Amino acid sequence: MADINLTIDGKQAQVKPGQTVLDAVKAVGVYIPTLCFHPDLAPYGACRLCIVEIEKMRGLPTACTTPASEGMVVKTNTEQIQQFRRGVLELILTEHPHPCLTCWRRKRCGPFDVCLRNVEVTHRCILCPKNEICELQEVVDHIGIKEVEFPYTYREIPIDRDNPFFERDYNLCIVCGRCVRVCQEIRQASAIAWTYRGSQTLPGTAFGRPLRDSDCQYCGACVDACPTGALIERARKYEGPGDHKVLTTCPYCGVGCQLNLTIKSGKIIESVPAHNNEVNRGQACVKGRFAITDVVHSPQRLTKPLVKKNGKFEEASWDEALDLVASKLGSFKKDEVAVIASAKCTNEDNYVTQKFTRVVFGHNNIDHCARL
Amino acid sequence: MVTSFGSGAMTNSIKEIGDCACILAIGTNTSEAHPVIALEIPKAVNKGGKLIVVNPREIRLTRWADIWLRQTPGSDVALLNGMAKVIIDEGLYDKEFIEARCENFEAFKESLKSFDLDFAEKMSGVPKDKIVEAARVYATTKPAAILYTMGITQHTHGTDNVMAIANLAMLTGNIGKPSSGVNPLRGQNNVQGACDMGGLPNVYTGYQNVAVPEVKQKFETAWGAKLSEKPGLTVTEMIDAIHDGRIKAMYIIGENPPLSEADATHALAALRKLDFLVVQDIFSTETTVEADVVLPAVTFAEKDGTFTNTERRVQRVRKAVETPGDARVDWWITSQLAKHMGAKGFDFQSAEEIMTEINKLTPSYAGITYPRLEKGGIQWPCPNTEHPGTPILHTTQFSRGKGKFMPISYRPPAELPDAEYPLILTTGRGLYQYHTGTMTRKVKGLNSLQGEGTVEINPTDAERLGIKDGEMVTIASRRGSITAKAQVTKVNPVGVVYMNFHFGESAVNILTNPAYDPVAKIPEFKVCAVKIEKIGEPVKVG
Ligand code: SF4
Ligand code: SF4
Ligand code: FES
């Protein structure tokens, strides 16, 4: 089928049939704020921040749910749109702590500074575990809100710390549904769904039971989908964006999920599944998502060559250890030596291991535990 | 699979699974072993695809299954032959495909003449009409893919199982097309790569056979060394050779045979019998403890390199953090050792340089270079740097030319339950730990979810033995006994108990049978006979 042509803020855009107006907006590099939209999930149209004006269409349709069609003329940034977005966002903020979100000094504030506006500790951005990597902050900064006129209510829900990997603080939830949808649509787990507390709809487990009694697989997909501090990995709380990211391959099974490791001060602070690939496309499992840091930075790692003397291991230098191993292995008849390579090591490691066996010993006594 | 098709890797790609019209998942609990592949299966089902699950245990996948065949462990060939028989008798096979692409069909057809479905029912415990139904659905809903894992290969007749699967796929023409094929899902992260790289006793890189004179010649010239055309020993044979005194020294990299080998006691005794053992690993393990020298290696996060995943995709591993203390990259350690022993050709400065040598010597990896991998993984075979890689194997012909039908007759597992050991023990992996747990047991969060080995037992068996949920029991086979906490659950059928192998305290492989498949030499992890006893009331303190 032919591509669809449309005009976005005077720019020509081309998208494939089935794509949305939001896809077209992104294709021409224009930013519009979104909160409930997630690239892996079906369009939802709940937050209404992505509204646009489309010629010959009434009202302000949401870009994320409107299919692109030939000849559309779209405006993303008129005064009317801005005003609406501010209104919508203010409503969202009546249920999310926001004194810092609307404060011009936010980015200069330190954790121990005296707050001139006397904002309660629980409401300060600087004390939110997701400060600086929060999508809501980005959206507020883009739209620009000085003040929220409606009254604010704190939900006073206890923070759920009942699972080993992430915390759930639904006082920060903006009810975008990304967690619920990713758990159902992609993970097929439905561990969390919409629940009702009084007049309020919030995500949660059936009957508010602990996650371990639900179908939760601890994949962390909900944590990665959440745009606020409501769902946060315990190990990376308060860490901010980190210094840089390294794309690599997960070491835990034959799928080979692509993972982005966030590095801060030489340590891995989190491991998040990568999107742009043909293998895991934004997903991983509990091991790739939550079990990397503890293993790599374990205090139990072997850090020195060890040589057994009188039944006890003693630390040795590499020269000592290599000399000893070389002379010992060399003291046997060649076919009395065998080598086991590792299915956990890289191709390059394994190549060198088999070459070593074949070249040094002149035989093929090399295998690994693949059979298992 | 090598016998049938000429290649033993997954024929298709992970992302095609979501578009299958039919999936036959046999001997695989992929939700636990490969959670991300498992996400694709319900996708196919939601698009109207049919799912046939063949597994004695009520695994998570059965939720989406249209048909669930609950076979007796070890009876897969009887079941698969039964399905093949139905497909042939009802004329549901793909005549054109078989004529054009396969051989030995007549002999195969002949071999099934005398096979009858009552026998399949008797051996597998699956009602006849269910076998017929599964055969019809698989043969008529296309494209259909078969997924399998260790549940198929870890038997004394594992090779038969795989050939029986290959027969089914050829019979229905489900080879070489998108969303079809025969797809073994690999367990460990780089099993595929370790095999591709020649970490096997009979082949160099890219499955180039050591016994072929031209191949030997090529590697001798490249490496400047005298090589042997005689296949070496497999791990299982090495262990026997140590007991016989033929092997006296060993160099083990990143493996933990006392937990991962069948009949672990035998394996551990072998390690103790060695005159010299050097072990290279990142943590202290049941194996390093036995070593004379331990060499500290690094994790994947501290090195550059590549892994090859279960769909033959070579992907980059990138150094993210510095190595702790004096730990060193594995290839560096091995190369230094080679140099200390006077060998030439081990002056590698980087992982990329090693890959360049692999490219030169390995036709299927020839085009897989580091600059290209920056843009994403590449699936072998990839014969040159212009080639895009190969998502689907055998599209126009099989690696061996024609696909070969292999007549197979059913053989029972090497050890069946009897009066003394009345239960069947089967083993596998859990979602929350990895392999022998060397790495994952360092993660507190995972241990809190699955921190100890348990033995799953059906309520009927539990009641008969007077065992309560959560009680400690001993599990004994002819080879040894261990203790574990009983978990009473309907997931297992009556007469079958299940354990996973991540835990040193309840090392299930003390029990398992090392009798192995004569061709693939994979031990029979999936079936052995055991008995279970209560330990007696724990003594109350205070
Ligand atoms: S961790 Fe995964 S399974 Fe658990 S609630 Fe989140 S998305 Fe659902
Ligand atoms: S917890 Fe996060 S992802 Fe879920 S609805 Fe609330 S804000 Fe959205
Ligand atoms: S992003 Fe479009 S409605 Fe929320």
Side-chain angles (χ1 to χ4, degrees):
Chain A
M1 268 204 278
D3 285 355
I4 295 169
N5 299 293
L6 55 175
T7 316
I8 310 284
D9 294 341
K11 296 184 185 127
Q12 291 307 311
Q14 250 189 8
V15 293
K16 300 256 172 278
Q19 289 195 290
T20 62
V21 173
L22 182 61
D23 293 322
V25 169
K26 290 192 168 176
V28 293
V30 169
Y31 172 83
I32 52 175
T34 59
L35 277 175
C36 68
F37 171 79
H38 189 282
D40 300 335
L41 301 172
Y44 196 53
C47 76
R48 307 206 65 79
L49 280 176
C50 67
I51 45 169
V52 289
E53 269 178 41
I54 301 178
E55 265 177 30
K56 301 200 196 85
M57 270 177 91
R58 272 197 294 159
L60 297 173
T62 46
C64 69
T65 55
T66 309
S69 68
E70 187 62 35
M72 267 183 175
V73 179
V74 181
K75 287 203 191 105
T76 70
N77 203 357
T78 66
E79 188 44 45
Q80 191 202 9
I81 293 175
Q82 289 300 359
Q83 209 180 329
F84 251 90
R85 282 190 190 140
R86 264 196 296 274
V88 169
L89 188 58
E90 272 188 50
L91 271 177
I92 293 174
L93 293 182
T94 59
E95 293 197 352
H96 185 98
H98 58 256
C100 300
L101 283 173
T102 53
C103 175
W104 60 275
R105 284 186 81 245
R106 185 178 86 230
K107 285 176 191 152
R108 294 195 220 154
C109 217
F112 304 111
D113 290 1
V114 176
C115 173
L116 298 179
R117 297 163 80 186
N118 221 352
V119 170
E120 268 183 72
V121 170
T122 41
H123 293 180
R124 290 190 202 169
C125 276
I126 192 77
L127 293 170
C128 171
K130 207 151 172 197
N131 191 28
E132 290 179 59
I133 44 170
C134 168
E135 271 185 54
L136 188 59
Q137 284 180 342
E138 262 173 61
V139 167
V140 172
D141 289 347
H142 174 81
I143 296 180
I145 294 207
K146 302 264 148 43
E147 202 177 345
V148 176
E149 288 183 11
F150 310 103
Y152 163 70
T153 35
Y154 186 66
R155 295 194 187 111
E156 295 187 45
I157 300 170
I159 299 176
D160 180 298
R161 297 198 170 89
D162 205 41
N163 81 74
F165 305 112
F166 55 91
E167 294 181 0
R168 301 186 291 147
D169 178 0
Y170 289 120
N171 298 301
L172 305 180
C173 174
I174 56 164
V175 207
C176 67
R178 276 155 57 160
C179 56
V180 170
R181 289 181 289 142
V182 80
C183 191
Q184 292 177 352
E185 274 177 44
I186 302 203
R187 304 305 304 207
Q188 316 275 342
S190 306
I192 44 176
W194 294 117
T195 60
Y196 303 90
R197 306 180 199 230
S199 63
Q200 269 216 314
T201 305
L202 282 174
T205 52
F207 311 107
R209 290 210 193 102
L211 267 184
R212 82 181 104 83
D213 296 338
S214 74
D215 198 19
C216 181
Q217 315 276 303
Y218 303 101
C219 64
C222 53
V223 177
D224 294 335
C226 182
T228 70
L231 302 178
I232 176 98
E233 177 177 359
R234 183 166 293 165
R236 66 107 62 240
K237 280 167 73 179
Y238 304 110
E239 294 284 6
D243 304 330
H244 64 282
K245 292 193 194 308
V246 177
L247 177 67
T248 192
T249 305
C250 179
Y252 287 125
C253 86
V255 175
C257 289
Q258 297 298 289
L259 302 174
N260 272 311
L261 306 181
T262 307
I263 314 298
K264 187 177 172 186
S265 311
K267 290 242 174 334
I268 302 170
I269 56 168
E270 72 180 343
S271 149
V272 178
H275 271 266
N276 289 334
N277 63 70
E278 309 226 315
V279 177
N280 55 311
R281 292 167 282 171
Q283 300 303 312
C285 78
V286 60
K287 294 192 280 276
R289 180 66 182 81
F290 295 120
I292 302 254
T293 319
D294 280 9
V295 169
V296 173
H297 299 303
S298 165
Q300 294 175 46
R301 287 279 304 274
L302 296 170
T303 55
K304 283 256 171 4
L306 301 172
V307 174
K308 208 180 252 169
K309 291 181 186 149
N310 305 320
K312 273 220 192 86
F313 282 122
E314 286 177 20
E315 292 186 354
S317 71
W318 274 105
D319 276 335
E320 246 175 277
L322 289 169
D323 280 340
L324 177 69
V325 174
S327 72
K328 276 287 191 179
L329 288 182
S331 70
F332 295 92
K333 281 204 231 110
K334 294 197 163 170
D335 59 1
E336 287 174 344
V337 185
V339 180
I340 301 186
S342 175
K344 300 185 198 101
C345 283
T346 62
N347 288 328
E348 291 74 3
D349 293 333
N350 279 297
Y351 177 81
V352 172
T353 308
Q354 58 94 33
K355 181 174 176 184
F356 167 82
T357 312
R358 292 177 161 128
V359 168
V360 173
F361 300 108
H363 59 55
N364 294 303
N365 287 344
I366 163 102
D367 196 8
H368 63 285
C369 297
R371 297 148 200 289
L372 314 179
Chain B
M1 240 171 117
V2 178
T3 331
S4 312
F5 301 159
S7 161
M10 193 166 157
T11 60
N12 291 56
S13 305
I14 295 168
K15 68 165 189 198
E16 294 167 36
I17 297 171
D19 293 318
C20 294
C22 176
I23 296 171
L24 173 61
I26 176 163
T28 172
N29 186 2
T30 136
S31 327
E32 305 245 341
H34 312 91
V36 170
I37 291 188
L39 298 180
E40 297 295 310
I41 296 173
K43 265 191 215 164
V45 171
N46 291 342
K47 289 183 204 159
K50 297 267 184 247
L51 174 64
I52 307 170
V53 173
V54 184
N55 203 309
R57 305 182 60 232
E58 186 176 357
I59 53 171
R60 195 176 150 89
L61 268 190
T62 57
R63 295 185 198 180
W64 293 279
D66 295 278
I67 304 172
W68 172 27
L69 308 182
R70 206 170 191 181
Q71 89 283 28
T72 312
S75 66
D76 308 82
V77 165
L79 193 77
L80 293 164
N81 273 356
M83 286 177 67
K85 167 119 179 133
V86 174
I87 294 171
I88 293 177
D89 286 357
E90 300 193 357
L92 302 174
Y93 55 95
D94 186 335
K95 296 176 194 73
E96 267 169 53
F97 181 85
I98 294 171
E99 214 151 279
R101 304 275 314 266
C102 306
E103 62 189 29
N104 213 26
F105 178 60
E106 287 310 317
F108 176 62
K109 203 169 153 187
E110 200 52 42
S111 76
L112 286 175
K113 265 223 174 99
S114 56
F115 187 90
D116 82 291
L117 287 184
D118 293 318
F119 176 76
E121 173 172 325
K122 191 163 147 245
M123 288 300 124
S124 67
V126 176
K128 225 169 28 178
D129 47 318
K130 279 210 136 176
I131 301 178
V132 173
E133 189 192 351
R136 284 183 189 150
V137 169
Y138 173 73
T140 56
T141 324
K142 291 182 184 177
I146 303 181
L147 311 179
Y148 70 88
T149 42
M150 298 303 173
I152 280 298
T153 48
Q154 287 176 350
H155 290 283
T156 42
H157 48 262
T159 310
D160 290 355
N161 283 347
V162 174
M163 287 193 289
I165 287 176
N167 286 342
L168 270 191
M170 286 189 287
L171 209 48
T172 51
N174 274 308
I175 294 286
K177 298 166 188 140
S179 299
S180 73
V182 176
N183 300 292
L185 308 177
R186 297 298 209 154
Q188 280 175 274
N189 58 321
N190 203 29
V191 179
Q192 187 66 51
C195 295
D196 296 351
M197 287 304 107
L200 291 169
N202 58 339
V203 289
Y204 295 104
T205 59
Y207 308 94
Q208 303 174 79
N209 200 316
V210 295
V212 174
E214 298 84 68
V215 170
K216 183 181 148 201
Q217 178 68 51
K218 167 173 139 183
F219 280 90
E220 284 186 335
T221 316
W223 290 347
K226 184 101 195 62
L227 301 171
S228 165
E229 65 288 329
K230 207 173 115 233
L233 303 174
T234 65
V235 172
T236 322
E237 289 168 339
M238 285 175 194
I239 290 169
D240 291 341
I242 298 171
H243 284 287
D244 301 348
R246 281 176 291 135
I247 295 285
K248 299 209 165 85
M250 237 175 162
Y251 176 22
I252 300 182
I253 302 176
E255 293 288 355
N256 194 11
L259 276 201
S260 61
E261 285 295 300
D263 194 355
T265 324
H266 186 65
L268 187 61
L271 294 187
R272 293 196 172 140
K273 195 159 183 272
L274 285 169
D275 291 339
F276 186 68
L277 172 63
V278 46
V279 181
Q280 186 169 312
D281 213 326
I282 53 179
F283 287 112
S284 124
T285 67
E286 287 78 0
T287 305
T288 59
V289 170
E290 304 303 328
D292 296 289
V293 179
V294 178
L295 304 174
V298 305
T299 67
F300 82 111
E302 296 138 27
K303 61 177 153 194
D304 283 307
T306 55
F307 289 152
T308 305
N309 79 352
T310 186
E311 46 166 10
R312 300 169 277 105
R313 190 186 299 274
V314 183
Q315 306 189 103
R316 272 301 308 273
V317 173
R318 292 184 181 86
K319 181 172 168 158
V321 292
E322 292 304 322
T323 45
D326 274 348
R328 291 284 186 279
V329 177
D330 289 272
W331 61 256
W332 182 90
I333 304 174
T334 313
S335 300
Q336 288 303 313
L337 208 49
K339 291 211 245 174
H340 275 71
M341 297 184 73
K344 296 256 160 1
F346 289 87
D347 298 309
F348 302 113
Q349 297 300 316
S350 67
E352 182 167 6
E353 211 176 285
I354 301 171
M355 185 51 96
T356 312
E357 185 167 318
I358 298 169
N359 296 150
K360 281 197 202 112
L361 291 168
T362 317
S364 56
Y365 273 68
I368 304 180
T369 63
Y370 274 37
R372 291 190 76 194
L373 290 174
E374 280 308 303
K375 289 182 218 96
I378 301 174
Q379 287 170 286
W380 65 258
C382 176
N384 59 60
T385 47
E386 267 71 62
H387 192 284
T390 312
I392 305 175
L393 291 181
H394 319 304
T395 44
T396 52
Q397 68 165 32
F398 288 96
S399 308
R400 70 180 292 279
K402 291 217 167 193
K404 186 168 184 191
F405 280 99
M406 301 294 293
I408 301 149
S409 49
Y410 168 73
R411 287 184 288 131
E415 187 175 86
L416 284 169
D418 54 19
E420 205 192 340
Y421 297 99
L423 297 164
I424 299 181
L425 168 73
T426 172
T427 68
R429 18 179 122 230
L431 171 63
Y432 299 113
Q433 299 285 352
Y434 174 63
H435 209 60
T436 65
T438 310
M439 296 194 276
T440 42
R441 292 204 64 196
K442 304 291 181 295
V443 183
K444 254 208 260 134
L446 293 178
N447 287 336
S448 76
L449 296 173
Q450 185 184 14
E452 56 186 357
T454 53
V455 54
E456 291 178 13
I457 177 166
N458 183 281
T460 315
D461 293 325
E463 202 185 291
R464 195 168 41 79
L465 296 165
I467 292 168
K468 284 192 267 338
D469 192 55
E471 189 170 19
M472 290 302 284
V473 294
T474 58
I475 307 110
S477 77
R478 286 191 177 78
R479 288 154 294 277
S481 83
I482 59 174
T483 59
K485 202 191 251 178
Q487 196 183 339
V488 178
T489 162
K490 284 212 186 91
V491 165
N492 289 308
V494 178
V496 176
V497 297
Y498 169 84
M499 295 189 78
N500 55 46
F501 63 81
H502 310 298
F503 301 95
E505 309 85 285
S506 352
V508 61
N509 286 336
I510 288 178
L511 308 174
T512 47
N513 191 348
Y516 47 78
D517 181 280
V519 182
K521 312 236 164 99
I522 305 180
E524 184 135 67
F525 286 103
K526 291 295 168 186
V527 184
C528 81
V530 296
K531 64 179 172 197
I532 293 193
E533 276 161 8
K534 273 167 93 83
I535 289 192
E537 294 304 313
V539 187
K540 279 218 179 78
V541 184

